[in-house]
Amino acid sequence: MTEEQSQISELSFEQALRELESVVRRLESGEVPLDESIDLYERGEHLRKACQSRLDAAQARIEKIVAGPDGKPAGTEPFDPGSVA
């Protein structure tokens, strides 16, 4: 893991997302020199991966309660975002 990736892993999800949004704005402005654009793009990709990893971990932790035949909670099962109305 590079030093940059280590620093990114220490950011909260919200901090990483704000920084990613800042990187995107700078790249979209078109006012960044080519070499800096490449560096920004690479940082943005590391930030995106960190954010996605945290979202995936959060989703895996979400479970729904399953009711048994008597209507009482019988256990849990993994969250299925496709079943949310």
Side-chain angles (χ1 to χ4, degrees), residues 2-79:
T2 67
E3 183 177 336
E4 179 180 21
Q5 289 171 322
S6 178
Q7 290 171 351
I8 289 172
S9 69
E10 293 174 10
L11 297 174
S12 70
F13 173 79
E14 291 79 8
Q15 290 169 323
L17 185 58
R18 277 193 298 272
E19 190 166 337
L20 178 57
E21 289 169 345
S22 175
V23 165
V24 170
R25 277 193 301 276
R26 290 186 64 201
L27 288 171
E28 286 178 341
S29 76
E31 297 177 9
V32 181
L34 179 60
D35 288 339
E36 188 177 347
S37 291
I38 293 168
D39 292 340
L40 277 171
Y41 181 85
E42 289 174 348
R43 180 157 181 84
E45 184 60 17
H46 291 299
L47 288 161
R48 185 200 62 78
K49 286 180 182 178
C51 288
Q52 187 63 55
S53 175
R54 290 191 183 126
L55 286 173
D56 292 344
Q59 183 174 349
R61 292 177 53 197
I62 297 172
E63 296 180 345
K64 67 178 183 178
I65 297 173
V66 178
D70 59 358
K72 293 183 181 178
T76 61
E77 66 182 42
F79 174 71

